[in-house]
Amino acid sequence: MNYPKLGIRPTIDGRWGGIREGLEEQTMGMARAAKALIESHLTYPDGSPVKCVIAPSTIGGGAESAKCADFFATQNVTGTLTVTPCWCYGSETMDLDPLTTKAVWGFNGTERPGAVYLAAVMSGHAQRGLPAFSIYGHDVQDLTDTEIPADVQAKILRFAKCAIAVGLMRNKAYVGIGSVSMGIAGSNIDADFLQKYLGIRAEWVDMTEVLRRIHLNIFDREEYEKAHAWTKQHCIEGIDVNEKPHTDEQKAEQWAFVVKMTLVIRDILMGNDKLNDIGWHEEALGRNAIAGGFQGQRMWTDWLPNGDFSEAILNSSFDWNGKREPVVLATENDGLNGITMLFLKLLTGSTSVFADVRTYWSPESVERITGMKPTGIAEHGFIHLINSGAAALDGTGLSKDHNGNPLIKKWWDVTDEDIAAMTEATDWCHANLGYFRGGGFSSHFRTQAEMPVTLARLNLIHGIGPVLQIAEGHTVTLPDDVHKALDDRTDKTWPTTWFVPRLTGEDSFKDVYSIMARWGANHGAFAYGHIGKELITLASMLRIPVSLHNVGDEDLYRPHAWGAFGTKDLEGADYKACETYGPLYK
């Protein structure tokens, strides 16, 4: 895999004859230290370390800047980190490539003015319309100090992680299988948005392609037998709520169908070399997808088994082959939620969970229905996150770290014990035929652990463009009887997560109701951990403003030029900066 790399640019005082020579080792030392830091902490989606390349030489002027740019062009460099301990000639040494995401680390030492260069080159970036992130340590260091301070490390790593995410999306595809589901606006895949903001190609595949491949056996039949056997053993059927249920024979046929459908959808998105062996060379190529969605409702589900099994398994961190990288597949072809899931996956290395943002439960309503008033972190109420039958099984919250704490793991850390726990906690209810006339099986579980998570949603707003919403919080567990009383009021065959956003007492986060009331769509996605600050940094790189979040001002890290758009109203400044600079790939 030709993953994008970070390019490190060691800039230096260009004056030969006594000044430059004495700075070579220190400057290159900063570059090597930054490279080691990034490569030891960050990973690509397959779990391998992120790779950095250093310019062939220190950069003291325009000629060496050009040589560096030529070298980086051969290395698939997506972002650049310029480092220096000294004064350099700003406009001669800066990165002028409009498509690289940029940061500059100026050493905070008094012997040489690295911080002065940092300020000068930030001015140059602002004047040239090339936003860059400023990295400046809080404390003065000695000339001989080769350690990277903790605050500098944090900024380098956040910048690098997000810059790699930008590069991973570039020249990939979002593949919508089908079209618009039930009039859901997010299903209207906006090709201009994907292209101009993310560098992603929009592709559409008619749902009849899934049928064609199933009927003509265009899938790996050996893997199908393995997958079908695994499903029979590990996917236990749950309740059937239908007054006139399908027969056991019909259900067996539907199980076979949805397993084949899962293989087919994966192959459409990602390709499969095994198809070459059976003579289907075009189909073996796939669509170069980094994410996709399945329309399902209603043209498909009124007649054929729903996509719940396919969506749940593909989005999970494992299948019949064991642990593997999650495949982002959006329910109801909600591409905006699919891209949100993609953001979350790229920043965490773990799966993200698709959900309807269904209901706000106030403490008073909970007490009225159940007789119990919620306590603890749920005391101010909570939001019911529930997907219409499909959610990644990692959402059970049953993976455990070495200390037995629950979490959603990076997929490469998932163990056989984790997989067993997740599958045993999930049953597969036969589809509610009122919704899904063609049958199928819905993943049914509840999140069984209290974990830090971040809920997010990307929206498109006429006259503005894309905006991102973020709510850090926790999943909560409820007593069995309380859970059942509330959960059964919706659909007892679907997966449930009870979510409590972290309140700040201000604006949209003054209470749980306000967050629910101001959420921008019927869908959202959540991932493990409080990663709102990383989402905000990534959004600024893509020129997407953030319309709602509960991240503290001290954790906001955006390009240095954002400060020129205002420092009191940071949300307004973000909107104005994104409007001014426009999408990354105009």
Side-chain angles (χ1 to χ4, degrees):
M1 179 69 71
N2 184 28
Y3 283 131
K5 301 181 183 72
L6 260 294
I8 301 179
R9 307 174 71 256
T11 57
I12 198 167
D13 192 320
R15 288 172 285 195
W16 291 93
I19 295 180
R20 176 165 178 164
E21 293 89 339
L23 295 167
E24 286 282 348
E25 180 55 35
Q26 184 184 8
T27 304
M28 272 298 186
M30 287 180 68
R32 290 192 292 268
K35 181 178 189 291
L37 174 71
I38 293 167
E39 293 184 342
S40 64
H41 282 79
L42 301 183
T43 53
Y44 291 119
D46 65 357
S48 63
V50 163
K51 292 183 179 179
C52 300
V53 292
I54 299 175
S57 69
T58 55
I59 301 168
E64 288 155 330
S65 290
K67 289 179 182 178
C68 172
D70 289 343
F71 172 63
F72 284 178
T74 69
Q75 298 296 310
N76 194 22
V77 166
T78 183
T80 62
L81 172 63
T82 298
V83 303
T84 190
C86 60
W87 170 253
C88 316
Y89 302 160
S91 61
E92 297 177 15
T93 60
M94 62 190 288
D95 175 12
L96 294 177
D97 186 339
L99 293 184
T100 55
T101 309
K102 305 166 188 26
V104 182
W105 170 27
F107 184 79
N108 185 4
T110 55
E111 291 86 354
R112 290 284 180 181
V116 177
Y117 168 72
L118 175 63
V121 83
M122 284 297 108
S123 173
H125 279 288
Q127 288 187 42
R128 300 291 182 88
L130 298 170
F133 289 80
S134 173
I135 301 174
Y136 177 54
H138 184 273
D139 297 318
V140 173
Q141 294 180 261
D142 294 332
L143 179 66
T144 56
D145 189 350
T146 59
E147 295 296 316
I148 304 179
D151 61 330
V152 172
Q153 288 190 34
K155 288 184 176 180
I156 289 175
L157 290 175
R158 198 194 307 182
F159 164 79
K161 178 186 286 189
C162 296
I164 287 292
V166 172
L168 287 166
M169 289 184 281
R170 188 176 298 165
N171 295 325
K172 292 293 186 177
Y174 178 93
V175 178
I177 300 177
S179 184
V180 178
S181 175
M182 300 183 297
I184 294 172
S187 297
N188 285 280
I189 299 169
D190 189 314
D192 280 350
F193 158 66
L194 291 174
Q195 174 189 325
K196 292 179 179 179
Y197 283 87
L198 310 177
I200 287 178
R201 178 195 305 272
E203 294 208 12
W204 290 264
V205 174
D206 195 276
M207 289 186 290
T208 57
E209 175 64 4
V210 177
L211 275 181
R212 183 182 78 92
R213 294 196 186 200
I214 290 175
H215 287 179
L216 297 180
N217 290 320
I218 308 175
F219 51 85
D220 183 341
R221 279 158 258 181
E222 185 176 325
E223 184 179 6
Y224 164 70
E225 295 298 335
K226 179 181 181 180
H228 196 207
W230 180 89
T231 301
K232 284 183 176 180
Q233 181 179 355
H234 296 288
C235 298
I236 308 304
E237 286 192 32
I239 59 172
D240 189 330
V241 299
N242 299 292
E243 292 183 6
K244 296 181 179 180
H246 288 170
T247 66
D248 290 344
E249 182 180 359
Q250 287 175 307
K251 291 179 181 179
E253 291 174 352
Q254 289 167 28
W255 272 117
F257 185 94
V258 298
V259 171
K260 292 176 184 177
M261 180 177 169
T262 305
L263 295 174
V264 165
I265 291 175
R266 182 201 63 192
D267 292 351
I268 289 172
L269 269 59
M270 317 304 295
N272 185 349
D273 288 340
K274 292 290 184 68
L275 301 185
N276 276 317
D277 300 337
I278 56 175
W280 297 99
H281 306 300
E282 181 181 353
E283 289 79 358
L285 294 172
R287 298 275 177 163
N288 194 39
I290 195 169
F294 181 69
Q295 176 194 330
Q297 299 183 74
R298 292 210 7 234
M299 293 72 176
W300 179 276
T301 55
D302 280 0
W303 177 46
L304 294 165
N306 63 28
D308 290 3
F309 177 80
S310 300
E311 292 162 16
I313 289 296
L314 288 173
N315 279 305
S316 296
S317 60
F318 64 91
D319 59 18
W320 41 85
N321 293 316
K323 63 184 177 183
R324 56 104 177 97
E325 183 180 343
V327 178
V328 174
L329 183 67
T331 298
E332 295 160 349
N333 201 21
D334 183 349
L336 293 176
N337 218 46
I339 294 300
T340 306
M341 295 167 73
L342 176 61
F343 288 173
L344 297 173
K345 173 190 164 184
L346 294 177
L347 293 177
T348 64
S350 60
T351 192
S352 51
V353 182
F354 189 110
D356 279 5
V357 183
R358 182 60 67 104
T359 309
Y360 161 64
W361 279 99
S362 68
E364 295 77 16
S365 295
V366 174
E367 187 174 25
R368 179 178 65 83
I369 298 299
T370 69
M372 185 212 84
K373 196 166 186 177
T375 58
I377 60 175
E379 65 177 327
H380 300 297
F382 43 81
I383 294 173
H384 192 180
L385 303 179
I386 178 171
N387 193 6
S388 51
L393 274 60
D394 302 72
T396 57
L398 291 177
S399 292
K400 299 291 178 62
D401 66 15
H402 296 302
N403 297 317
N405 299 311
L407 74 165
I408 297 177
K409 286 183 174 178
K410 298 179 185 299
W411 72 264
W412 53 84
D413 291 331
V414 170
T415 65
D416 290 342
E417 292 76 16
D418 296 326
I419 294 173
M422 288 186 271
T423 54
E424 289 169 10
T426 305
D427 54 25
W428 297 85
C429 301
H430 192 249
N432 184 329
L433 298 177
Y435 292 111
F436 307 121
R437 300 173 194 169
F441 298 90
S442 299
S443 61
H444 173 246
F445 62 79
R446 62 168 159 159
T447 303
Q448 298 186 33
E450 296 193 345
M451 305 181 294
V453 296
T454 301
L455 180 71
R457 168 71 188 189
L458 186 68
N459 297 299
L460 285 177
I461 310 298
H462 179 70
I464 297 176
V467 298
L468 185 65
Q469 295 183 305
I470 301 165
E472 294 183 342
H474 287 80
T475 61
V476 294
T477 58
L478 303 177
D480 289 348
D481 56 339
V482 175
H483 164 81
K484 180 173 175 55
L486 302 183
D487 198 47
D488 284 359
R489 291 172 68 93
T490 303
D491 190 298
K492 62 182 70 176
T493 70
W494 294 347
T496 277
T497 300
W498 305 108
F499 171 68
V500 176
R502 185 181 69 248
L503 302 179
T504 65
E506 299 177 352
D507 302 321
S508 296
F509 288 87
K510 63 184 178 183
D511 53 38
V512 180
Y513 170 82
S514 296
I515 299 162
M516 176 74 188
R518 296 177 185 179
W519 201 250
N522 55 311
H523 292 153
F526 68 86
Y528 180 79
H530 288 160
I531 61 165
K533 59 186 180 182
E534 293 176 345
L535 282 167
I536 289 170
T537 296
L538 175 61
S540 69
M541 291 178 176
L542 299 169
R543 322 287 168 75
I544 297 174
V546 178
S547 63
L548 178 150
H549 72 83
N550 55 348
V551 176
D553 288 353
E554 68 278 5
D555 285 324
L556 301 182
Y557 186 41
R558 292 171 168 136
H560 188 266
W562 262 236
F565 294 89
T567 56
K568 290 186 177 181
D569 177 9
L570 297 182
E571 183 177 288
D574 183 33
Y575 270 80
K576 185 62 177 174
C578 290
E579 178 187 10
T580 298
Y581 288 111
L584 191 56
Y585 309 98
K586 332 177 188 179

